Amino acid sequence: MTAIVGEAAIIQQYFAPLAGHYSGAFGLRDDAATITPPPGHDLVVSVDAIAAGVHFFPNDDPSDIGWKALAVNVSDLVAKGAVPHAYVMALALPEPPTAAWMSAFTHGLDQAQRAFAITLVGGDTDRRPGPLSITITAFGFVPTGRMVRRGTACVGDHVFVSGTLGDAALGLRLSPGWDRPPGWRASDAQAASLRARYLRPQPRCALAPVVREWASASMDLSDGLAKDIGRMCAASGVGALLDATGLPLSAAARGIVEAHPDVWSLIATGGDDYEILATTSGHDAERFVAAAAAVGVPVTAIGRICSGHGIIVSGPDGRPLSFDKDGYDHF
Amino acid sequence: MTAIVGEAAIIQQYFAPLAGHYSGAFGLRDDAATITPPPGHDLVVSVDAIAAGVHFFPNDDPSDIGWKALAVNVSDLVAKGAVPHAYVMALALPEPPTAAWMSAFTHGLDQAQRAFAITLVGGDTDRRPGPLSITITAFGFVPTGRMVRRGTACVGDHVFVSGTLGDAALGLRLSPGWDRPPGWRASDAQAASLRARYLRPQPRCALAPVVREWASASMDLSDGLAKDIGRMCAASGVGALLDATGLPLSAAARGIVEAHPDVWSLIATGGDDYEILATTSGHDAERFVAAAAAVGVPVTAIGRICSGHGIIVSGPDGRPLSFDKDGYDHF
């Protein structure tokens, strides 16, 4: 397990292949990259950092770490209706990495690049104490002025989420090193599928054009439904009324929730879903569902936007759920 | 010294004012920003991170930290001939910051924004163990295809640097907490001016159009002249012959070097100059100098590009200098 010597060696051996033939990346041999948006398009920019011990486990498979670092950024782009295009990456390493670590890390990035049709165009690699961290700034394109905002939801709009919620939060608690909550039933296959949602988030790239066409507001779910819809509603100056029993669950999650109704709270606040939260007008709701189905992404209506402020989530017994905390906050 | 509670409070109280009225920043209330390059222009992208204990001292004035985080990125843009436009910032804090710290930090960013005509458009703030770190991705514009590369220097080209070299490296060694090398004479005013070069790098914004017009290759000097010209030459497939006695020095640096000729090595390898290293054809050399003078930036010819590979720096006695290390490498 020898360490690789030199910043240039790390860049040229491991990262330059990820830049491929993108002309504006200059083989990662320059100080900057160029990006040329197609005429009539805006560049959409999103930045997210992940760090060991906060967003992933230091001993996670490096390929999962690479995948996740890119996936969480792509998720932001597609929730805004943007087509992913390119990214730059700042990598902070506490120690010179081994060749095996770098190979696996860049393999995960490469898998994610292919899955999301996005290319590395530049970066910065340095060594410092503290946790391994990866900061990615990702770029996508939308037709000029067409980025879908989070603050444009209107009273009466329908609230949708893609896929299923809570799987990653459950998967995290079923990870090695965590105490499995007593009584949680999950087969090995179910636990593995839930953990995969935590380790390898699947941004909803196919939904980007559907969001752009039909959503009145949109954002991705990263810090838990309760917190993120709170942000959308605060930005829009509205409230929301949601029905917890209508939240879409995977079979694995349903099995756990049915035995432990208190897990609803975790489903609604757990974070790391990387699904899309979108609103549509009543008029466009059916078209949104049909267009999502046409690109193979299930979406589920989970409530309505209402006037005022505040989010009410009615629980399985019809009474509002209360949450100890409404989602992840770093401070 | 109370800490500020909540990511949203940090963003809205301290960072949103830095986004001002930039329409694509959406008041920092969305998950992404939009940037619209003018027709006929490329977006130039550069990313650089700075971390406490590596690039600055943890107890540095937070306004200096903010300034430096932005300046080092703007320096990359202008060396590429780009006009700075906007940036996104990922901030990793080990503890919730105090209001005083945030005020000073954003004050330094605001000063830098005004000096460099650039605006915050988005970011990511989180808390994690390890050193405070700031990762900025900066954006500028150049006419399509006109970014000035580092790998396009030609045999016979003249080599120029802007300003003076070595000041920041000397200033670092004159900082409180460092043992001042024995015998270094520097008045308090000289020491302060050298330290200012370390704490508040001054990217050469005025030189961007001059570089774009006349330089055959260009990059900024961040890791020391010897290392950075080595990078330029390696990327260009050429060598260089430089004259150490021709390197431009400030009065303060000259005073130290005259008493201690061994300091030449530090001047040539010390890093943190944030000056521009550019080459021009023999034909354009005079025009480059005149155009730089017209925008108020002194530039100095320090040598020539030659065939082959390797950098020879002749010292004050005419013999080649040798360096213990040729510049900063993180690994």
Side-chain angles (χ1 to χ4, degrees):
Chain A
M1 299 292 274
T2 50
I4 307 155
V5 176
E7 200 174 329
I10 291 173
I11 294 168
Q12 287 308 313
Q13 275 179 251
Y14 294 97
F15 293 138
L18 294 174
H21 298 291
Y22 189 98
S23 66
F26 307 112
L28 304 188
R29 290 183 182 276
D30 215 306
D31 314 279
T34 59
I35 296 174
T36 312
H41 286 71
D42 289 336
L43 188 86
V44 176
V45 181
S46 163
V47 56
D48 257 318
I50 68 171
V54 182
H55 305 88
F56 59 89
F57 297 103
N59 293 326
D60 279 348
D61 186 321
S63 72
D64 291 338
I65 298 171
W67 174 285
K68 188 170 192 173
L70 188 49
V72 302
N73 276 281
V74 168
S75 180
D76 273 319
L77 293 180
V78 299
K80 305 282 100 184
V83 176
H85 177 73
Y87 69 102
V88 296
M89 175 173 64
L91 182 63
L93 296 161
E95 297 294 338
T98 62
W101 193 92
M102 282 302 300
S103 289
F105 177 68
T106 50
H107 178 63
L109 279 172
D110 186 52
Q111 291 176 306
Q113 287 194 180
R114 291 167 196 270
F116 315 143
I118 190 168
T119 306
L120 180 68
V121 298
D124 179 56
T125 301
D126 69 22
R127 182 177 169 185
R128 66 176 75 150
L132 168 72
S133 77
I134 305 132
T135 304
I136 284 181
T137 305
F139 309 105
F141 298 137
V142 288
T144 303
R146 296 289 303 279
M147 187 188 102
V148 184
R149 307 278 309 278
R150 68 154 70 158
T152 43
C154 295
V155 174
D157 281 358
H158 295 234
V159 180
F160 289 95
V161 294
S162 64
T164 57
L165 301 185
D167 295 324
L170 297 173
L172 174 60
R173 283 154 188 81
L174 294 169
S175 296
W178 282 66
D179 291 330
R180 184 181 292 212
W184 279 24
R185 290 171 310 162
S187 67
D188 287 351
Q190 284 178 325
S193 80
L194 293 171
R195 286 198 64 217
R197 289 292 307 270
Y198 177 77
L199 294 171
R200 293 233 169 188
Q202 303 289 336
R204 295 296 189 174
C205 297
L207 214 51
V210 178
V211 164
R212 204 167 59 235
E213 191 67 24
W214 301 114
S216 54
S218 176
M219 62 187 292
D220 80 325
L221 290 172
S222 57
D223 292 337
L225 172 66
K227 178 159 194 153
D228 286 332
I229 193 166
R231 289 168 163 162
M232 175 181 274
C233 286
S236 302
V238 297
L241 183 56
L242 307 183
D243 175 9
T245 58
L247 299 185
L249 299 185
S250 66
R254 188 164 299 283
I256 294 170
V257 167
E258 281 174 357
H260 303 276
D262 57 307
V263 172
W264 276 115
S265 167
L266 180 62
I267 300 282
T269 63
D272 273 311
D273 291 309
Y274 299 105
E275 295 289 356
I276 286 179
L277 171 69
T279 58
T280 76
S281 69
H283 185 259
D284 290 334
E286 280 185 32
R287 294 173 200 183
F288 175 77
V289 173
V295 297
V297 180
V299 295
T300 304
I302 62 166
R304 298 289 287 271
I305 297 294
C306 56
S307 61
H309 56 274
I311 312 299
I312 297 169
V313 185
S314 56
D317 58 2
R319 289 186 307 176
L321 288 181
S322 64
F323 305 120
D324 293 341
K325 56 183 275 197
D326 72 355
Y328 192 77
D329 194 308
H330 284 282
F331 295 95
Chain B
M1 298 294 272
T2 49
I4 306 155
V5 177
E7 200 174 331
I10 291 172
I11 294 168
Q12 286 308 312
Q13 276 180 250
Y14 295 97
F15 294 138
L18 294 174
H21 298 291
Y22 189 99
S23 65
F26 307 112
L28 304 188
R29 290 183 182 277
D30 215 305
D31 314 280
T34 59
I35 296 174
T36 314
H41 286 71
D42 288 337
L43 189 86
V44 177
V45 181
S46 163
V47 57
D48 256 318
I50 67 171
V54 182
H55 306 87
F56 59 89
F57 298 103
N59 293 325
D60 279 349
D61 185 320
S63 72
D64 291 337
I65 299 170
W67 174 285
K68 189 169 193 173
L70 188 50
V72 303
N73 277 281
V74 167
S75 180
D76 274 320
L77 293 180
V78 299
K80 303 284 100 186
V83 176
H85 178 73
Y87 68 102
V88 296
M89 174 174 64
L91 182 63
L93 296 160
E95 296 295 338
T98 63
W101 194 92
M102 283 302 301
S103 288
F105 176 68
T106 50
H107 178 63
L109 280 172
D110 185 52
Q111 290 176 307
Q113 287 195 180
R114 291 167 195 269
F116 315 143
I118 190 168
T119 305
L120 179 68
V121 298
D124 179 55
T125 302
D126 68 23
R127 183 178 170 182
R128 67 176 75 150
L132 169 71
S133 77
I134 305 132
T135 305
I136 284 180
T137 305
F139 310 104
F141 298 136
V142 288
T144 303
R146 295 290 302 282
M147 188 187 102
V148 184
R149 307 278 309 274
R150 67 155 68 160
T152 45
C154 297
V155 174
D157 281 357
H158 295 236
V159 181
F160 290 95
V161 294
S162 63
T164 57
L165 302 185
D167 296 324
L170 297 173
L172 174 60
R173 282 154 188 82
L174 294 169
S175 296
W178 282 66
D179 291 330
R180 183 181 293 211
W184 279 26
R185 289 172 310 162
S187 67
D188 287 352
Q190 285 177 324
S193 79
L194 294 171
R195 285 198 64 217
R197 289 293 307 272
Y198 176 76
L199 295 170
R200 291 232 172 189
Q202 303 289 336
R204 295 295 189 175
C205 296
L207 214 51
V210 178
V211 164
R212 202 167 61 235
E213 192 66 23
W214 301 113
S216 55
S218 176
M219 63 187 293
D220 80 327
L221 290 171
S222 57
D223 292 337
L225 172 66
K227 178 158 195 157
D228 285 332
I229 193 165
R231 289 169 164 162
M232 176 181 274
C233 287
S236 301
V238 296
L241 183 57
L242 307 184
D243 175 8
T245 60
L247 299 185
L249 299 184
S250 64
R254 187 162 299 282
I256 295 170
V257 166
E258 282 175 355
H260 302 277
D262 57 306
V263 171
W264 276 115
S265 167
L266 181 61
I267 301 281
T269 62
D272 273 312
D273 292 308
Y274 299 105
E275 295 290 354
I276 287 179
L277 171 69
T279 58
T280 75
S281 69
H283 185 259
D284 290 334
E286 282 186 31
R287 294 174 200 183
F288 176 76
V289 174
V295 297
V297 179
V299 295
T300 304
I302 61 167
R304 297 290 286 271
I305 297 294
C306 56
S307 61
H309 57 271
I311 313 298
I312 297 170
V313 185
S314 57
D317 57 2
R319 289 188 305 180
L321 289 180
S322 64
F323 305 119
D324 293 340
K325 56 182 279 193
D326 72 355
Y328 192 77
D329 195 308
H330 284 281
F331 295 96

